[in-house]
Amino acid sequence: MIGAAMAAAQWRVATVTAIRAETASVKTIRFEVPGWPGHLGGQHVDLRLTAEDGYVAQRSYSIASGAGTSPQIELTIDAVPDGEVSGFLHEELRIGDQIEIRGPIGSYFAWSAEHDYGLLLIAGGSGIVPLMSMLRSRAAAGATQHARLLYSSRSIDQIIYRSELDRLAAQTTHFTLTHTLTRETPSGWAGEQGRIDRVMLTRRQFTPAGDPDVYVCGPTAFVETIAEHLVAMGHRASNVRTERFGPTGAIRT
Amino acid sequence: MLVTRGFKGRRREGDADRLRLPPGQFLTPEFPVLTTGPTQHTRLDRWSLALQHGGSLLGKWSWEQFEALPQTEITCDIHCVTKWSKFDTRWRGVTIDNLLRAAGLDAAPTGFLMAHCDGGYTTNLLIGDLIEARAMIATHFDDLPLLPAHGGPARLLVPHLYFWKSAKWVRRLAFRENDTPGFCESHGYHLRGDPWREQRYEGDL
């Protein structure tokens, strides 16, 4: 255990091997990380950027790729307006560039195949990233318990991983996907509309029946509101794990 | 040091601010909320704070009794392990020194302390990080009662350590002989968490 912790704390030099756009403001970056100790779905990493004059900026980002020990890991990064680091990652970073990385970090907001219980996932915006890592981990591990995802986006073109989520939902009988759109809804939209509330949670069976594990990730106000609904619906507070906008709380830059 | 090609940084902090920022931190005017689960709401008429040593109770205060203890105001910088720091935060509460005095103790027990909170959160601390006006049980922020989302009615405030040590919704302080990890500390975070040494994670020196 000490060995694993030492390995996670160690800074490694990662090389960018692929960059792809997920939406107009979200990119996924793949890194080759020699010696990567492996991770669980939902964990995060720290990045360290150093300017020529020695100025250093560090940020935390959720891992998007599924659990495992592959030295290739993916981060999905939302471009925050005026973001010092996310702006650099979106505009400057190229394939072949090197960047310092350490992790994986945080073993609480994480899914492990050893704990394959009923699973309720609720995401707002880029809060989907660690939950996608969990879903990918579940698919790879052949998880047998039912999982539900309720994913709130402003509009259809801002849904991250849309086609992969559709594929996952079509391929497996124990994954139920529901989108809700809060601003614009295309004609013929079959999903939910508007912000997630208690009625929507109940309609989509995000109920305490079966004592499921619940993970909520998104902006602070989103997470606060939904966590309160869940507790009021009878979920045990200790079953509700929350993360405000990825690992960095209300602020991402 | 690996220079990141093309990275210049925005340097929104001036030189004076930079000296106040521990390594790897950035300054924010906001007050982000980070909690591992739902916000706890504890009614004041059901609230109490207990001080324990080993198996024995050293003192226990109701909300009214606690509010009557000597109050201390402090202004301090706070540093979250998720990288944000906030300067000049203003708090009011009861220092651990005054709490010990109120329990009739001349000196703190030696060793360690585990803070226990509503919702099951715990964090471990060295006694030396709590006494000599280094820590308090805070009930007010900016002259107003502390909001539940920020740990109200009462949270631990240990501003010289990463802010996960300043446990929200604290209810019981237990002195003990041995140091064992609390909640974050058993999920990969450092046992002590000194931001100036950048003790973020297990394995950091």
Side-chain angles (χ1 to χ4, degrees):
Chain A
M1 197 57 218
I2 285 172
M6 295 299 286
Q10 181 189 332
W11 288 101
R12 302 168 194 282
V13 176
T15 303
V16 178
T17 56
I19 302 175
R20 64 173 187 272
E22 299 284 358
T23 71
S25 64
V26 176
K27 281 183 178 174
T28 291
I29 302 168
R30 178 179 294 179
F31 295 92
E32 166 85 22
V33 194
W36 180 247
H39 65 275
L40 301 172
Q43 292 191 286
H44 62 274
V45 295
D46 280 4
L47 296 187
R48 181 163 71 183
L49 284 64
T50 306
E52 279 186 14
D53 62 356
Y55 172 79
V56 171
Q58 285 188 40
R59 296 293 186 276
S60 297
Y61 291 103
S62 292
I63 302 170
S65 44
T69 53
S70 162
Q72 299 268 345
I73 65 162
E74 291 188 345
L75 310 181
T76 297
I77 292 162
D78 194 2
V80 178
D82 290 326
E84 182 183 40
V85 173
S86 68
F88 167 83
L89 296 172
H90 268 254
E91 291 152 29
E92 285 290 333
L93 199 70
R94 303 283 177 269
I95 288 170
D97 280 351
Q98 293 192 314
I99 206 162
E100 287 180 292
I101 197 165
R102 67 169 175 162
I105 293 153
S107 58
Y108 184 67
F109 198 87
W111 184 87
S112 155
E114 293 156 31
H115 301 278
D116 181 17
Y117 305 122
L119 190 63
L120 301 177
L121 306 175
I122 304 167
S126 57
I128 186 66
V129 177
L131 307 186
M132 190 67 194
S133 172
M134 293 182 195
L135 287 169
R136 287 167 167 163
S137 306
R138 274 175 48 92
T144 57
Q145 298 303 303
H146 202 95
R148 296 176 191 278
L149 169 66
L150 180 53
Y151 178 12
S152 176
S153 306
R154 284 181 180 152
S155 59
I156 198 163
D157 59 349
Q158 291 193 28
I159 297 176
I160 308 168
Y161 315 126
R162 188 175 166 217
S163 56
E164 185 179 345
L165 286 169
D166 284 346
R167 216 165 39 242
L168 270 179
Q171 279 168 0
T172 137
T173 52
H174 42 260
F175 172 53
T176 307
L177 168 68
T178 305
H179 288 288
T180 184
L181 300 178
T182 56
R183 296 234 175 126
E184 291 168 44
T185 312
S187 61
W189 174 249
E192 292 280 355
Q193 294 179 32
R195 294 188 175 198
I196 296 170
D197 58 15
R198 195 169 160 175
V199 174
M200 192 190 294
L201 288 166
T202 304
R203 183 164 57 230
R204 296 296 174 168
Q205 295 175 264
F206 280 67
T207 57
D211 214 19
D213 287 335
V214 191
Y215 292 82
V216 188
C217 187
T220 296
F222 173 94
V223 171
E224 280 294 306
T225 306
I226 287 166
E228 306 251 315
H229 286 319
L230 291 166
V231 171
M233 287 166 69
H235 286 275
R236 282 195 293 148
S238 57
N239 281 357
V240 179
R241 301 181 181 205
T242 60
E243 199 159 77
R244 273 79 169 163
F245 239 155
T248 48
I251 293 173
R252 292 214 297 190
T253 62
Chain B
M1 179 180 86
L2 175 81
V3 171
T4 314
R5 186 199 61 76
F7 180 67
K8 295 185 180 66
R10 300 254 165 98
R11 294 181 175 273
R12 278 163 292 176
E13 300 92 16
D15 287 346
D17 285 349
R18 281 229 65 83
L19 289 174
R20 280 172 75 179
L21 276 178
Q25 297 293 110
F26 65 90
L27 187 58
T28 178
E30 297 179 51
F31 196 168
V33 174
L34 285 104
T35 305
T36 57
T39 292
Q40 300 292 316
H41 298 273
T42 307
R43 284 172 45 177
L44 293 183
D45 60 359
R46 293 194 186 155
W47 185 92
S48 62
L49 183 74
L51 200 59
Q52 292 179 318
H53 186 201
S56 61
L57 189 67
L58 299 175
K60 190 171 182 178
W61 298 268
S62 69
W63 183 257
E64 287 74 23
Q65 291 166 334
F66 187 77
E67 285 275 86
L69 296 178
Q71 300 287 306
T72 304
E73 291 190 16
I74 71 160
T75 299
C76 57
D77 300 347
I78 57 176
H79 312 289
C80 178
V81 72
T82 64
K83 317 290 177 344
W84 59 267
S85 291
K86 183 174 175 64
F87 288 168
D88 299 320
T89 59
R90 291 174 51 234
W91 304 84
R92 176 158 72 79
V94 178
T95 61
I96 303 299
D97 308 293
N98 281 330
L99 201 62
L100 290 167
R101 252 172 239 130
L105 295 172
D106 296 328
T110 53
F112 307 91
L113 181 135
M114 186 72 84
H116 298 264
C117 306
D118 280 333
Y121 186 85
T122 56
T123 192
N124 58 301
L125 292 136
L126 296 168
I127 303 303
D129 280 322
L130 295 168
I131 55 174
E132 293 168 8
R134 304 188 88 191
M136 67 161 52
I137 305 293
T139 56
H140 287 71
F141 178 78
D142 263 351
D143 298 323
L144 294 171
L146 193 56
L147 294 173
H150 287 303
R155 79 182 295 166
L156 198 56
L157 178 67
V158 194
H160 66 283
L161 300 179
Y162 283 123
F163 217 47
W164 89 75
K165 292 288 187 183
S166 294
K168 295 175 179 177
W169 313 305
V170 67
R171 295 288 300 277
R172 186 159 61 89
L173 302 176
F175 291 103
R176 49 201 291 162
E177 304 283 316
N178 303 313
D179 198 15
T180 53
F183 180 86
C184 286
E185 298 84 2
S186 61
H187 285 96
Y189 290 82
H190 195 271
L191 267 183
R192 177 153 183 261
D194 181 347
W196 294 99
R197 296 183 183 178
E198 212 173 353
Q199 295 171 335
R200 297 182 193 276
Y201 310 121
E202 194 181 353
D204 282 340
L205 297 176

